[in-house]
Amino acid sequence: MPIPYIQRTRERYAAYPAYRWVVNTEAPWTPLAKPIAATRLALLSSGGFYLPDQPPFTDGDVSYRRIPTSTRLADLRIYHHGYRDDDPDRDPNCIFPLDRLRELAAAGVIGALVDPAFSFVMTYAAQRDINERGPQLAAALRELGADAALLVPV
Amino acid sequence: MSSAWDVTVSVRPPRAVFVNFPLNHETGKADDPVLQRRILLDAFRAFETLWAPGQVLTLPYVWDAKDRSWEDTDFGPGFEPYGVGTPMQAGFGERALKRADSTGASS
């Protein structure tokens, strides 16, 4: 059965002002006009991955990192708070399935894996997420010719 | 991908794929490439089966068929969200991958 995370979060942080969870009654929709085997798929993860030569994330950070799809996962670093990362630490494919998607692209299951993949960290600055990072990522994906995106939140 | 059904339904993304695993395993268990591949293949099915905005595809995978106690404790009282091993700094902290191995932590 699903876990009542919203309820447990309310209880866990009962001493703090209540977090206002977004409640969307509608969702946008774009049909995928081609089969998955012809689809250019992008990977985005909020797991806070970055490369050693990239700046780490900071508190309230709405930036993102471009992770070349040729990256060895062992070379990645994690900079994040608020998630239990011992398993993603050992095997980032738990939340950043770069190895698996490379294999599936090579096998022709997907048309292509969009290069680079993207990673970022959660932020409480929801408006900046919506008004800054979201549009930036959407523009980057359009520029890269992505047909669809696999979003992996943590 | 989602392992938080209530959060995802509230956010209502165009398409979602629900895997009832502890958070941070949305695309599979660590070191289980067969399962990871299976979950991705199933997730791709969402593009074919979900036909209206906001629908959720639920995958049948079970974290531990013999022990469902994690469902009672995940993010509940006493749950330590920062993992095991070297504690993170207050707020954000930096970790090199492979840290878990060096601290003797296990999944």
Side-chain angles (χ1 to χ4, degrees), chain A residues 1-9 11-13 21-32 36 41 49-50 56-61 73-97 100-101 103-104 107 109-110 121-122 148-154, chain B residues 1-7 9-15 18 20-34 36-37 40-41 43-44 47-48 50-54 63 68 70-84 88 91-101 105-107:
Chain A
M1 287 295 292
I3 314 301
Y5 284 112
I6 290 178
Q7 179 188 322
R8 287 186 189 174
T9 302
E11 292 167 356
R12 187 180 183 87
Y13 299 107
W21 295 88
V22 65
V23 181
N24 291 323
T25 55
E26 294 182 3
W29 183 256
T30 304
L32 184 62
I36 192 74
L41 184 71
F49 296 104
Y50 69 101
F57 295 97
T58 58
D59 205 355
D61 199 331
L73 289 181
D75 292 336
L76 287 173
R77 298 178 78 84
I78 296 178
Y79 195 89
H80 205 278
H81 77 166
Y83 84 91
R84 192 161 199 165
D85 64 357
D86 39 336
D87 280 349
D89 184 354
R90 198 166 81 245
D91 181 7
N93 290 295
C94 293
I95 52 171
F96 194 62
R100 298 293 87 74
L101 288 173
E103 294 163 6
L104 292 168
V109 174
I110 57 175
V121 292
M122 64 80 77
L150 183 73
L151 309 177
V152 190
V154 299
Chain B
M1 303 303 298
S2 167
S3 289
W5 186 90
D6 53 352
V7 176
V9 169
S10 185
V11 171
R12 202 171 292 238
R15 302 170 180 82
F18 175 69
N20 195 33
F21 281 1
L23 295 180
N24 321 318
H25 306 84
E26 284 82 357
T27 53
K29 296 184 179 186
D31 303 323
D32 190 343
V34 173
Q36 293 164 0
R37 182 174 194 273
L40 289 174
L41 290 172
F44 298 157
F47 287 115
E48 300 162 344
L50 305 184
W51 56 274
W63 180 256
R68 289 176 56 173
W70 72 270
E71 293 188 4
D72 299 325
T73 56
D74 206 40
F75 224 75
F79 179 77
E80 172 50 69
Y82 301 116
V84 288
M88 298 189 78
F92 281 68
E94 182 178 7
R95 296 179 179 205
L97 287 174
K98 303 302 178 192
R99 170 197 55 82
D101 288 340
S106 68
S107 60

Side-chain angles (χ1 to χ4, degrees), chain B residues 32-64:
Chain B
D32 190 343
V34 173
L35 176 65
Q36 293 164 0
R37 182 174 194 273
R38 192 65 249 171
I39 287 175
L40 289 174
L41 290 172
D42 288 348
F44 298 157
R45 293 284 286 278
F47 287 115
E48 300 162 344
T49 55
L50 305 184
W51 56 274
Q55 294 179 340
V56 180
L57 176 65
T58 297
L59 301 189
Y61 303 105
V62 175
W63 180 256
D64 185 341

